[in-house]
Amino acid sequence: MPFKPEYPGEVPTLGWHVLDFISSMLAAPDKGEYEPLILTPEQAQFVLNWYALDPVTGRRQYRRGVLSRPKGWGKSPILSAIACAEALAGVVPDGWDANGRPVGKPWLAVRTPLVQVAAVSEQQTANAWGPLLEMLRLGPALDHFDIEPLDSFVNLPRGRIMPVTSSASSAEGARAVFAIMDQTEEWKQGNGGKRFAEVIRKNAAKINGTTLESPNAYTPGEGSVAEESAAFYKNILEGRALDNGLLYDHREADSDTDLDDELSVMKGLSQAYGDSADVNGGWVDLKRLAAERLDPAMPPQIFRAYFLNQITHASDSWLSEPELKGVAAPDTELEPGTSITLGFDGSRKRARGVADATALVGCRVSDGHLFSLGVWEQPDGPAGRNWEVPKSEVHAAVAEAFKTYNVVGFFADPAKWESDVGEWEAKYISKHLQIRASQAHPIEFWMNGGRAVTIVRATEKLHNAIIDREITYDGSHVLTRHFLNARRRPGQKGLQIAKDFPDSPRKIDAAVAAILAFEARSHAVAKGLTGRKRSRRVTRL
């Protein structure tokens, strides 16, 4: 029979069965004597979410997961518990019972289960492997199931739980029904982590298995597995992903957490650690952690990443995620007729690699609020082959901006769009453009050549306005991503921004368009054009 919800909007899940297994069969680690493993409400909610089912098909909703929390929150124990459940409990969907409730069966009823605890080093695997052995050796599971928890692997009635590292050749072809991927912020190209992740996911896909990552905050620009998973999640939020089978659970302290203010730090730590914080009934001593920020050997960026779980920035990043969150205003609405400026940065296609994006960004003159009007990017996978920017959509977005708002200035980098920019100049100069890039070309604003000093100053102006929280932006995922992708590049004329490397797939075009829009807005403010609405001319007879 079909699923019967007990309340409106209920999502079916096998998580309740898993929680029963954890509390009745596993021992809490690091206790010396047996105590049942009882998860915190926050941890239990993650288990319920992870084992969510599609109410129509009865299939698992998520094939991949990311649980991102600060150090000491308890990621390793909860992942170890889930690994034990995957090996022994009823985690495979098996339809609905007579009351329309979800039913699960163990992997043993389907195939010989292999569960892996994976990391790029043996030391990292110990984070989850040690607690896992304690849970099984000291808990009722040892007597209830025919298992043998040895130091190097756990024998199941059929199958195994085993640790594995990126240097192990056994990973190739080992089809794990479930794999923990621990500390994926450290899984990179250089240590074989990215290839390791590909192999694990490929093997799991062959048998309808799942993988679950447990990273701390990653450093943008390092290309880690954790960073790529975050990018995949952002694509889902932007509607650019073809698949949404990723459960992404990341929580961090507020962006305005001030490391020089103890009360602010304590509040931020409480937010990041949730139920695990002592002030919330948990075990993490927040005052002890707060004291770490005063240690000269603790760089602020490391403190934010380790203990506040804030994804900050690479050493050469133009902006950090906390800085952007501090000015994000996603609920801001613009009324029709509002005076704005536009910035445009375009591309066409690329013979190799990923084509640059094309972006149109607006800026409200009255307060400098930035907002995305359109960003066109090459899709991932087969859909991106032979892709070109849809010019008709770009022209339609420009036309809609002029129709909806009072556009007083429009700065566009004409590279590869010279004829289009010329067309916009001819079409819109007689309307509302009161700000001109130059007398000869009111819209054309080259980002290279003789304007180098102007661009340096424009880049600095926008950066300072964001850092000092003088403006806001729409908080859109695409604009945020392009801001975070931008890297500082010093030149003879001063500091500009660029991609991390020329053929990088991490694009910055929306950030460039924002700089142009904000520069046009600066000209408008200097000219006194701060009115909110388009004025109406009255003719008197």
Side-chain angles (χ1 to χ4, degrees), residues 200-499:
I200 291 174
R201 291 176 183 147
K202 178 183 66 177
N203 290 339
K206 295 176 182 177
I207 55 174
N208 203 27
T210 55
T211 60
L212 184 53
E213 296 179 44
S214 57
N216 298 114
Y218 62 85
T219 300
E222 291 187 345
S224 65
V225 169
E227 183 177 10
E228 291 183 344
S229 294
F232 176 32
Y233 177 63
K234 290 175 182 177
N235 283 345
I236 292 175
L237 295 178
E238 293 172 18
R240 300 179 61 239
L242 301 178
D243 170 76
N244 61 355
L246 171 69
L247 173 63
Y248 195 85
D249 191 328
H250 168 86
R251 197 179 63 214
E252 62 185 65
D254 280 345
S255 60
D256 60 356
T257 302
D258 184 357
L259 298 191
D260 294 325
D261 184 335
E262 184 175 3
L263 290 178
S264 178
V265 171
M266 290 293 290
K267 178 184 175 183
L269 289 170
S270 177
Q271 293 168 333
Y273 280 89
D275 292 345
S276 302
D278 55 355
V279 297
N280 299 325
W283 57 88
V284 180
D285 186 343
L286 298 192
K287 281 191 173 295
R288 172 66 181 82
L289 296 185
E292 286 292 323
R293 82 190 196 284
L294 304 176
D295 191 329
M298 175 65 69
Q301 187 175 343
I302 299 300
F303 183 88
R304 290 186 180 277
Y306 276 27
F307 302 123
L308 298 178
N309 206 37
Q310 290 179 331
I311 299 168
T312 56
H313 56 285
S315 59
D316 61 346
S317 290
W318 185 51
L319 291 165
S320 71
E321 191 154 329
E323 290 166 345
L324 288 172
K325 286 185 176 180
V327 296
D331 297 327
T332 301
E333 296 184 3
L334 276 75
E335 297 180 7
T338 298
S339 295
I340 69 168
T341 55
L342 298 177
F344 174 83
D345 187 43
S347 70
R348 285 292 196 224
K349 61 179 180 178
R350 176 167 289 183
R352 61 185 178 87
V354 180
D356 286 339
T358 291
L360 180 67
V361 173
C363 183
R364 186 162 56 190
V365 175
S366 62
D367 60 359
H369 178 75
L370 292 162
F371 55 99
S372 172
L373 287 165
V375 180
W376 296 266
E377 297 182 277
Q378 180 175 338
D380 297 332
R385 293 174 185 169
N386 302 318
W387 180 84
E388 293 187 35
V389 178
K391 286 184 59 176
S392 59
E393 292 184 16
V394 177
H395 279 269
V398 171
E400 184 64 23
F402 274 90
K403 177 182 177 182
T404 305
Y405 304 109
N406 176 30
V407 181
V408 300
F410 183 8
F411 288 178
D413 184 359
K416 301 180 181 179
W417 285 76
E418 290 88 340
S419 61
D420 303 272
V421 171
E423 180 181 335
W424 293 333
E425 288 180 336
K427 185 175 182 179
Y428 298 116
I429 185 56
S430 62
K431 294 203 172 183
H432 311 291
L433 292 181
Q434 302 174 58
I435 301 299
R436 293 169 175 255
S438 68
Q439 282 301 115
H441 295 284
I443 294 177
E444 182 181 285
F445 195 101
W446 286 97
M447 293 288 288
N448 52 25
R451 288 191 183 271
V453 173
T454 302
I455 293 301
V456 165
R457 291 175 179 171
T459 302
E460 182 181 15
K461 276 189 285 189
L462 178 56
H463 180 268
N464 291 343
I466 292 174
I467 297 300
D468 296 336
R469 301 193 177 188
E470 295 174 349
I471 64 169
T472 57
Y473 84 114
D474 62 5
S476 63
H477 298 290
V478 62
L479 194 48
T480 301
R481 174 162 50 83
H482 283 229
F483 276 140
L484 293 176
N485 287 342
R487 298 289 180 263
R488 300 193 307 271
R489 293 293 181 262
Q492 292 182 349
K493 303 297 183 180
L495 193 69
Q496 297 191 39
I497 62 171
K499 293 181 291 186

